[in-house]
Amino acid sequence: MSAEKVFSGKEVATHNSRKSCWIIVHGKVYDVTEFLDDHPGGSKIILKYAGKDATHEYEPIHPPDAITTNLPIEKHLGSVDLGTVEKVEVQITDAEKARQERMALIPPLEEILNLHDFEAIAKMVMPEKAWAYYSSAADDEITIRENHAAYHRIWFRPRVMRDVSTVDYSTTIFGQKTSMPVYITATALGKLGHKDGELNLTRAAAKHDVVQMIPTLASCGFDEIVDAAVPGQSQWLQLYVNTDRVVTKRIVQHAEERGIKALFITVDAPQLGRREKDMRQKYEAEGPAEQTRAGGDVDRSQGAARAISSFIDPGLSWKDVAWFKSITKMPLILKGVQCWEDALEAYDQGLAGVVLSNHGGRQLDFARSGIEVLVEVVAHLGEKRGLRFPNEKFLLFVDGGVRRATDVLKAVALGATAVGVGRPFLYAFSAYGTEGANRALQIFKDEFEMNMRLLGAPTLKDVVPTMVDASNVHTHIVAVPGDNLYNNNYETMPPARLRELKAKL
């Protein structure tokens, strides 16, 4: 095997045009000339770094293997002597300086009392494009608000005079014990919020003994995340199915070889939803759509989400279930089921479970909340197949809108095995790194202990359907930001504040 060619930075710099465009990413040189007009974000952003080191721009919004996966091997030219590469000057704008000043004023972690506080602080200190990507949802963002509001239509029926001197909120999922019925669900592009990205979640999940679902579109490499886990730590994989089934098969089988315990196949994203806060950021933000060689427009208005998701297969269907079963022995779960009919089909096809989810409100606006769908799934699968939940052979998971342990306990009472939480952990580590994620998980544990005592439930098995009143869960009232006539007179609960702002009050 011949030695890899090593280029000088000066030589790479000569390939700085549309006719010959080379870039450097992680010390490697790539010829992307023929890829320019196929880049989901358009060619202009690549040409900005033609002949230069593009790692700084590439890293936060691409999975590490994106370029090696999508670019033919003959376009992988070799390495570069980094000592000879002219550094790309990163200009610090006034807005970024102001953000860094606010970051220095975040309150100490002990003043963060709940998951809402993390969101309040993150909004003030995250880069604008990162906040837009993490917080954005579909269209008028009705569903993202409904995901949380739906839990407010479910009320408790606590039991008293029960011995709750000790409470145990641990559970077992796919044969592995976990400290609570909460898992860190898959969310993309962790490095937009923090330089360590998803590794913050891996470390926190290990410390608190909860499951981490690794996203297909992580900023950190899959193997990097798995390597960061401690022995015995349970991890799952969330999969966006590639139009190229060879690529999908390779990802799945590699995950199984690395010890991943379950495969969650995302089924609610045959097309990306319109996330307008993210769209307005326009990752390149360099003018109108440009013309391709073929004469068509390159749509660069879709923000980070569009730029990383063009490979997802809109042709995924029920007939693919048999193929997935043929390539892996991992439990297969469909992530993004939104009605009882599809949950029933998943059960009949021998899948291990479903996640009742609407993609965090990021896909179809006016999709119902996962907790509402849970109620109908339990009822209909009980009626048609005689199933009682929780059920070890067919697991029901829920995600979207969860901010309190009380939300989780409501889902558990109604039949869920566990609940996925995503955005709050992003906000936690964006502001505070790994310690923020640790604090978020500890808040959950503290809330579980208190609320299980108040419910009269010594263990999760004691959290049963009769402990909740979900009779109004199907009542659909649009979760608008608030009734102005009421809010004008209501003094809202103060959120966590930056230290400088507190001093002025």
Side-chain angles (χ1 to χ4, degrees), residues 4-264:
E4 183 179 56
K5 185 170 182 179
V6 179
F7 295 89
S8 70
K10 185 176 181 180
E11 182 177 0
V12 175
T14 63
H15 297 269
N16 61 355
S17 69
R18 175 174 279 278
K19 292 183 178 179
S20 181
C21 181
W22 293 8
I23 61 170
I24 301 165
V25 176
H26 297 136
K28 302 291 185 180
V29 181
Y30 301 96
D31 181 354
V32 295
T33 310
E34 296 176 10
F35 180 67
L36 286 171
D37 294 317
D38 293 325
H39 184 239
S43 62
K44 190 171 289 186
I45 185 63
I46 299 181
L47 289 169
K48 178 181 176 180
Y49 289 90
K52 301 175 183 176
D53 191 338
T55 305
H56 175 79
E57 184 74 17
Y58 170 94
E59 194 168 51
I61 61 170
H62 296 84
D65 62 350
I67 194 166
T68 56
T69 299
N70 292 296
L71 205 63
I73 190 66
E74 63 269 18
K75 302 299 182 181
H76 303 192
L77 303 182
S79 300
V80 67
D81 180 356
L82 288 173
T84 67
V85 176
E86 183 179 350
K87 300 298 181 184
V88 176
E89 184 178 349
V90 179
Q91 295 183 340
I92 301 178
T93 64
D94 290 342
E96 174 60 16
K97 290 178 182 177
R99 187 194 72 81
Q100 292 178 5
E101 290 174 358
R102 293 194 299 274
M103 192 71 183
L105 298 171
I106 61 174
L109 269 173
E110 57 266 25
E111 292 187 19
I112 301 299
L113 304 182
N114 53 58
L115 300 191
H116 298 291
D117 282 350
F118 282 117
E119 187 167 354
I121 297 299
K123 183 177 182 179
M124 290 186 279
V125 301
M126 286 177 67
E128 186 178 2
K129 63 184 179 182
W131 172 259
Y133 178 69
Y134 288 172
S135 67
S136 62
D139 296 352
D140 295 322
E141 301 194 341
I142 302 299
T143 289
I144 189 176
R145 298 197 295 272
E146 165 65 9
N147 281 349
H148 183 62
Y151 284 96
H152 299 174
R153 300 196 295 271
I154 302 170
W155 294 80
F156 286 124
R157 300 180 68 251
R159 299 302 301 272
V160 298
M161 298 295 288
R162 292 183 170 184
D163 183 358
V164 286
S165 52
T166 60
V167 294
D168 180 6
Y169 44 86
S170 66
T171 190
T172 300
I173 310 174
F174 299 124
Q176 288 202 288
K177 194 166 184 179
T178 180
S179 67
M180 54 182 162
V182 170
Y183 62 91
I184 300 173
T185 196
T187 49
L189 304 187
K191 286 187 178 179
L192 281 179
H194 189 277
K195 63 182 179 60
D196 289 345
E198 294 80 11
L199 296 181
N200 290 298
L201 302 177
T202 309
R203 298 164 187 152
K207 180 175 180 178
H208 290 274
D209 189 21
V210 297
V211 181
Q212 177 191 23
M213 185 189 292
I214 301 174
T216 295
L217 298 175
S219 293
C220 297
F222 170 80
D223 286 308
E224 185 182 9
I225 295 171
V226 175
D227 289 342
V230 301
Q233 183 173 346
S234 185
Q235 293 175 307
W236 302 333
L237 175 66
Q238 172 267 332
L239 179 73
Y240 283 120
V241 179
N242 199 301
T243 51
D244 185 344
R245 290 296 192 270
V246 173
V247 173
T248 297
K249 181 178 179 180
R250 183 178 69 244
I251 292 170
V252 170
Q253 293 185 339
H254 179 65
E256 188 169 11
E257 291 169 0
R258 290 303 315 267
I260 296 300
K261 303 303 181 186
L263 181 66
F264 287 69

Side-chain angles (χ1 to χ4, degrees), residues 1 8 75 113 118 129-130 133 231 268 282 369 378-379 485 487:
M1 183 179 292
S8 70
K75 302 299 182 181
L113 304 182
F118 282 117
K129 63 184 179 182
Y133 178 69
D268 59 4
K282 298 183 183 179
S369 68
V378 169
L485 292 174
N487 286 340

Side-chain angles (χ1 to χ4, degrees), residues 328-398:
T328 181
K329 294 181 180 179
M330 287 187 290
L332 301 177
I333 302 91
L334 300 186
K335 182 180 183 295
V337 169
Q338 298 171 73
C339 64
W340 70 263
E341 293 90 343
D342 285 340
L344 179 64
E345 182 70 23
Y347 173 76
D348 287 346
Q349 293 220 17
L351 294 169
V354 293
V355 183
L356 307 174
S357 167
N358 53 44
H359 216 100
R362 290 163 74 80
Q363 288 295 95
L364 178 66
D365 211 8
F366 289 95
R368 297 172 304 156
S369 68
I371 190 69
E372 179 182 345
V373 177
L374 174 66
V375 173
E376 74 169 42
V377 167
V378 169
H380 282 86
L381 268 64
E383 175 189 336
K384 297 182 181 300
R385 297 295 182 269
L387 300 181
R388 298 184 66 181
F389 294 96
N391 189 297
E392 292 183 2
K393 293 183 178 180
F394 191 72
L395 278 58
L396 300 180
F397 301 94
V398 176

